Amino acid sequence: MPQLRSPRPGRTTADGTARGGWPVYLVGGLGLALAAVAVSTAIDWYGKPFAGVLVGPDAVVSDVTNPDWDGPRQGLHYPDQIVAIEGDRLDALHYAERGRHLSQIVWRAASAGASHVTVDVRQGQGDRRIRLAIERLDGTTWWLVAGSLFFAGALFVMAGLVALWASPRARLARSFTALASAAALFLFTLFDYHTSYHLVPLFLIGFAMLPGAICVLALRLPDDAAWLRRFPWLERATTVAGIAVASYFAVPFLLGRPMPLLHHLWPSVLGASFLFFVLTFLARYLLGHGHRRDILRALALAMVPPLVALGLVLAAEPLVGASAQVGVLAYPALSLIPIAVAFAFVRYDLWGSRVLLSRIITRLVVGALACVLAIAAGAALATEMGVPFRSAVIAASVSGVVAAVLVLLALHAAEVYVFPSRAQYKPTIEQLSAELISITSPDEVARAIERTVRRWLPCEHIRLLLNAGDPTAAPGGTAVPTPTSDPRTEEIPTHAAEGSSDLALPVVFGAERLGVLELGAKPGGALFTSEDLDLLGTVVNQGALALAHAHAYQELEQRRKQQVAAWRGEREALVETVAAEISHEIRYPLNFFRNLFGRAESRPLTSDDLDVGREEVERLERLVGGLRRMTAHRIQRRITAIRDLCGHAEMLLRDASAGRPLAFAGDAGLAIRCDPDQATQILVNLLANSLQATGEAGHAGVAWAFDGKEARIEVWDDGPGFVGDAATLFAPWYTTKEHGTGLGLAITHRLVRAHGWSIAASRQAERTLFTVTVPRSDVVQDENRPPPPPARESPRFHEDFGR
């Protein structure tokens, strides 16, 4: 996988999108601080006694539980409430102190050696008294009900940071960051809400904000739904509602007052939001197609199952009570959501950020997650062996970090000393590519490959032998037999016969073997590695491409020389033809003036002599003018409407057309960058040919159009057309007319090519077409030009040109 570097946070990338700066650091810092406090308080609770079930700050039974505890076995479930313990009434205490007071009584009983405590539990409308066994939070249960929640919360923080960094201005990324923040706040403080009670206000905020955030994400994944586009204030409304609910929960808690909606309504709201997400997600998946469906498919398997299970349980929880497994399994299953989102981001660019995926950063993230899992496993194992939990976590953390560093150093040392080809891979390929790009000789390609391999792979000998049939092969080179089978299916020979090369790799391009790369033994008989073969295979592939390019270049160069020689011959023939034409044309006026001057010595010149002489001078001027037009001129481009060019050409051909109308059709505002004089001459020459070909009863005209890529100017006529190859029409001196010179279309072709355009002749639907193609760079659309005058065309003109 090639290494691609991502832009730094806070910088602007090549696409003009600013990456997240201080918000990323702020959210990351707050997430790290919250995680540190939550994990620290959770570690303090390891091994502490509790009365068969965890409870919230108001002594309500928690849904984060273990089915093997005594409380679930005796039928306690959320939202039952413990109102008394050992005869001490809890409902008379401050609302926020009931859970802490219950824990203190259990700790004192455990210190006194008691194995059970008696509690009064309010279930529905009635109370019942039961004896609960005092249990301790063991390592397995701690990782199940606490560690898994922290891991899921950390994944949400990381996914939210990636979204905020990759595309801070994208609405989808911001909505997911809001959901990730609320989910992380909820997961990091959930265990504390049922044990230490230090982070209860933060839990209430996350609990209140989570439903609205997940509903907004459902309407925005992977793009805004119609509801959200029609009512953009919905997102702000859900945020304000979440803040209001958080205040409604937090303020009474701080004042010591009951929060009935917290247990009797809001879990159902959270469950309903999960179900709303699932239903909306499935509906958008069924209605989606293409890239949208690919994104939703990547998210479906990871996001839908845990949200369905958790949504159904939470929606019915206040009515029927929670299952003992819901908090143990459902909440940690939420970690699948950030994993799926990360996959969709990498695979389908979920945030539309167009950032570059960094191989190094990706490895660091994956390595960090693996390190966390290793620390958790090490701490759990050490705890089972009798090490105090806090000491086990510290020791496992230090060991994990040190092991990660040592592994990285060991891998680096192995790459440098054992597998140097891996470290040399990228610079070698880049250097070889830069060197081969300017080489056009097969022999030089072979020498460049030998030098490249010799730099990083010391061997007794390194040589690239070209095929004997290659006329450019190095003198004295060893012939490589021409293969009789497909060289791509042959095995690469390794360890050749004694006395020859230790390694030989065929250089193959397509189905043709161009040569073979032979390598002798490494110093001291060292082994070739798989990395050596991988790099050699890439070098050989690049060499095959370079050799094929060199062969093609030499063939093209040979053909170019042949073409230049042919062009020079044609040029000389053309010059000879023009010279013969000039010699032929100028001979008659010279003879006339010679005779005229001779007669002037004996008698005065008559008016007839002067008239004929004047006509001959004008004919010479026309001849010289024709030669001048054949010479190359510098193109002076100006933006000119095609309609104006056609109008000018029509005026010049007024006499030649003998009153016959010319049909013009096209966009009046379409203009081109051209030399107006030469463009007019192009149209005049083509229209003059059309008028001569059609006769007095024929029709001719010009149509033009622009399709977004190029403009086409078509000069048409309904004459008899031409016979033979259309390309010969543009050859100098070629004519099918009795008195034609054969220079009109040749001059037209030269002027068209001088503009960088192209011209072609064709016969379609009983019409002759000369089509001038103008590239997009020379086309200008001017919508402010007045509409064109009514076109004058034959009845069939509309049908052929689609007007």
Side-chain angles (χ1 to χ4, degrees), residues 256-278:
R257 298 175 182 173
M259 302 171 289
L261 294 181
L262 180 66
H263 301 301
H264 297 90
L265 177 62
W266 204 247
S268 297
V269 173
L270 180 59
S273 69
F274 288 156
L275 296 178
F276 173 80
F277 181 93
V278 171

Side-chain angles (χ1 to χ4, degrees), residues 772-792:
V772 177
T773 303
V774 181
R776 175 69 181 86
S777 58
D778 286 340
V779 180
V780 179
Q781 286 183 303
D782 185 0
E783 299 178 354
N784 298 322
R785 291 182 175 270
R792 304 185 298 273

Side-chain angles (χ1 to χ4, degrees), residues 287-364:
L287 296 176
H289 53 83
H291 186 64
R292 172 194 284 185
R293 173 165 282 199
D294 291 337
I295 295 177
L296 295 176
R297 184 186 298 111
L299 298 174
L301 294 178
M303 297 181 69
V304 170
L307 291 181
V308 169
L310 199 55
L312 291 175
V313 171
L314 289 175
E317 193 174 48
L319 301 177
V320 301
S323 169
Q325 288 83 6
V326 62
V328 176
L329 301 178
Y331 290 129
L334 292 176
S335 60
L336 296 175
I337 294 177
I339 294 175
V341 167
F343 174 78
F345 168 64
V346 174
R347 182 65 177 82
Y348 299 106
D349 191 15
L350 179 61
W351 315 124
S353 57
R354 311 309 303 166
V355 298
L356 299 179
L357 182 64
S358 171
R359 180 175 177 229
I360 296 178
I361 295 178
T362 302
R363 285 187 171 184
L364 287 176

Side-chain angles (χ1 to χ4, degrees), residues 459-598:
C459 295
E460 291 181 355
H461 66 266
I462 299 172
R463 56 177 177 263
L464 176 58
L465 305 177
L466 302 178
N467 274 355
D470 181 8
T472 61
T478 305
V480 180
T482 302
T484 57
S485 60
D486 188 348
R488 294 171 296 181
T489 62
E490 296 180 12
E491 296 184 359
I492 297 179
T494 58
H495 300 292
E498 185 178 358
S500 60
S501 300
D502 270 24
L503 193 66
L505 292 89
V507 182
V508 179
F509 183 80
E512 180 182 3
R513 175 174 290 183
L514 304 179
V516 63
L517 178 64
E518 294 187 352
L519 295 92
K522 296 175 85 172
L527 297 175
F528 286 98
T529 67
S530 59
E531 304 297 335
D532 293 338
L533 289 181
D534 288 342
L535 183 51
L536 286 172
T538 304
V539 169
V540 164
N541 290 337
Q542 284 203 342
L545 182 61
L547 285 173
H549 170 264
H551 291 318
Y553 179 84
Q554 290 194 340
E555 183 178 355
L556 289 176
E557 183 66 15
Q558 182 179 3
R559 292 186 179 182
R560 187 190 66 81
K561 292 179 179 179
Q562 294 173 351
Q563 185 178 13
V564 168
W567 177 84
R568 185 179 295 111
E570 293 177 357
R571 189 76 172 181
E572 292 174 354
L574 177 60
V575 171
E576 293 175 357
T577 303
V578 172
E581 181 78 15
I582 296 174
S583 174
H584 180 271
E585 292 294 328
I586 206 171
R587 179 178 55 185
Y588 296 104
L590 288 177
N591 291 333
F592 171 78
F593 285 115
R594 184 182 298 109
N595 294 332
L596 185 65
F597 294 150

Side-chain angles (χ1 to χ4, degrees), residues 32-46:
L32 183 62
L34 177 62
V37 174
V39 172
S40 178
T41 57
I43 290 176
D44 290 337
W45 246 80
Y46 177 83

Side-chain angles (χ1 to χ4, degrees), residues 383-430:
T383 303
E384 292 296 327
M385 297 175 65
V387 179
F389 186 67
R390 179 176 291 274
S391 300
V393 172
I394 295 175
S397 301
V398 174
S399 300
V401 173
V402 172
V405 173
L406 291 177
V407 167
L408 290 177
L409 293 176
L411 290 177
H412 178 72
E415 290 184 358
V416 172
Y417 297 107
V418 181
F419 298 100
S421 302
R422 175 179 291 274
Q424 292 290 333
Y425 193 95
K426 184 177 180 180
T428 298
I429 298 304
E430 290 179 348

Side-chain angles (χ1 to χ4, degrees), residues 439-455:
I439 298 178
T440 58
S441 168
D443 183 58
E444 289 299 322
V445 170
R447 303 293 80 78
I449 292 177
E450 291 174 0
R451 289 193 302 269
T452 301
V453 176
R454 194 172 291 112
R455 291 190 189 103

